[in-house]
Amino acid sequence: MATTTDQAVRHLLDEGRARARRLGPDQVRLWDALARSAEGGKRFRPALVVAAHDALGGTRQEAAAATGAAIELLHTALVVHDDVIDGDDVRRGRPNVSGTFRAGAREAGADAGGADALALAAGILAGDLALATAVRAVATCGAPRDVTERLLDLLDAALHTTAAGELADVTLSLGLGAASMAESLGAAERKTSAYSFALPLQAGAVLADADEHMVERLGEAGRVLGIGFQLVDDLLGVFGDPARTGKSTTSDLRDAKQTPLLVHARSTAQWARLERYVGRDLAPDDLAEARALLTASGSRAFVEALAARHHASAVRTVEELDLPVDVLGPLLTSLGLDEAAA
């Protein structure tokens, strides 16, 4: 029986824990915190790898599962690092790596500065370990050498693109200037689309020995689908239910992230009132008022429509390739506020 992607992810985590045990209890604690960060989620990234591979008649099921698991661990690495960058201690409704180590340090008697330092170090190191595990998993996936080298090239390109997107996202949040819609969408594309959508679809195609035209076009489908997904994720970052999404509904406003939602709102008459709710912590009543203004301004509807257009474009591309729409994954056949949490 072929290995499932969940089994492949578990294998990577078990291997890492075995290495950690040889280094002592502190390293086990770090790895276990990382492993908890990899739990949950909808696993759509490995599903995209397998779906593309199978739709194109691929026969490397084990390599596809291993590559999908690698991309899932890559996602974990980037999420852990993203939480460090954003200063967040919670992910999916529970303490993340940094939050776990911060709480542990305070319980052990460390002062706030010491706990902050340990939380920062743990988040960086855990993310590094997950990233190294992901690269190694691709390199040892069992595909022929030329296929593996192509996969590593795609992985490397996705990492560079994602790093550029993350840096642009943080730079825009400095508020040194008002971002244009193109700049905001560009940051979303680079930060999310490259590794979460284009990479899995292209990896599946490469594993199935597809030609470069197919690989390129599936990358384009992933790019636009990823933008649509990020747009919905931005909406969830304000309008979602944290109990269901595990996402804060105030951090994007607090951090003044120049998402398309806020970029559009800045051009409306409601911005003069809305601006007072951006760049600070919000009480529940404040959040309710900010939501009302974002709705009245038309910004929410604008972003919802933009997400739908990107999703439709991805579907058209896949149909033009004579591939089934479900190559985009069962989660992604529609983008709704209730189902698009990362």
Side-chain angles (χ1 to χ4, degrees):
M1 182 180 295
T3 302
T4 67
T5 52
D6 277 345
Q7 290 170 334
V9 170
R10 176 48 54 191
H11 176 69
L12 293 178
L13 293 174
D14 289 346
E15 278 193 333
R17 196 173 197 279
R19 293 189 183 94
R21 278 202 305 269
R22 293 195 288 270
L23 295 170
D26 286 343
Q27 189 67 7
V28 170
R29 185 167 165 243
L30 180 65
W31 188 265
D32 285 349
L34 172 63
R36 285 192 295 274
S37 295
E39 294 173 353
K42 295 181 173 66
R43 295 279 199 263
F44 69 79
R45 295 166 186 85
L48 288 173
V49 177
V50 173
H53 169 268
D54 292 352
L56 292 166
T59 59
R60 300 187 179 109
Q61 282 79 13
E62 295 291 328
T67 301
I71 295 175
E72 189 67 20
L73 262 292
L74 170 64
H75 170 61
T76 299
L78 295 174
V79 162
V80 171
H81 281 162
D82 189 60
D83 284 347
V84 171
I85 292 169
D86 291 343
D88 290 334
D89 278 358
V90 176
R91 171 73 62 163
R92 292 173 180 157
R94 60 179 182 263
N96 57 20
V97 174
S98 294
T100 297
F101 275 78
R102 189 188 312 278
R106 293 310 300 268
E107 289 172 6
D111 61 19
D116 287 348
L118 184 62
L120 178 66
I124 292 171
L125 294 170
D128 289 348
L129 288 172
L131 179 57
T133 299
V135 174
R136 182 178 185 276
V138 172
T140 60
C141 72
R145 180 172 179 173
D146 60 329
V147 173
T148 300
E149 289 177 351
R150 182 73 177 104
L151 291 173
L152 289 170
D153 285 342
L154 289 171
L155 179 66
D156 185 65
L159 276 171
H160 276 274
T161 302
T162 303
E166 184 69 59
L167 189 62
D169 186 53
V170 175
T171 300
L172 290 176
S173 71
L174 297 178
L176 301 178
S180 67
M181 185 61 69
E183 289 172 327
S184 182
L185 287 171
E189 174 187 341
R190 292 189 294 271
K191 182 178 176 181
T192 301
S193 294
Y195 88 89
S196 284
F197 297 90
L199 174 61
L201 288 170
Q202 290 183 303
V206 167
L207 284 163
D209 296 322
D211 61 33
E212 281 303 309
H213 173 73
M214 179 65 73
V215 174
E216 181 179 342
R217 291 288 282 156
L218 279 176
E220 173 63 16
R223 184 187 70 80
V224 295
L225 185 65
I227 295 172
F229 185 91
Q230 184 59 51
L231 288 166
V232 174
D233 201 54
D234 290 340
L235 288 168
L236 288 169
V238 176
F239 294 99
D241 177 1
R244 298 182 63 187
T245 67
K247 290 175 60 68
S248 166
T249 50
T250 59
S251 62
D252 282 2
L253 293 170
R254 178 199 67 205
D255 297 339
K257 286 186 176 290
Q258 296 203 56
T259 64
L261 182 67
L262 286 187
V263 170
H264 182 273
R266 190 181 291 113
S267 68
T268 70
Q270 283 76 14
W271 180 249
R273 294 172 58 198
L274 180 61
E275 189 175 14
R276 74 186 69 172
Y277 300 110
V278 177
R280 65 179 179 87
D281 289 321
L282 299 182
D285 288 348
D286 294 331
L287 177 60
E289 179 63 17
R291 286 172 164 175
L293 290 168
L294 285 166
T295 301
S297 67
S299 298
R300 178 178 183 174
F302 171 83
V303 174
E304 288 174 340
L306 191 59
R309 288 200 297 273
H310 279 83
H311 175 257
S313 176
V315 170
R316 282 195 304 273
T317 298
V318 168
E319 290 175 338
E320 289 167 2
L321 294 170
D322 292 324
L323 293 174
V325 173
D326 61 10
V327 75
L328 300 177
L331 167 67
L332 303 171
T333 53
S334 65
L335 287 176
L337 280 175
D338 60 340
E339 58 183 313

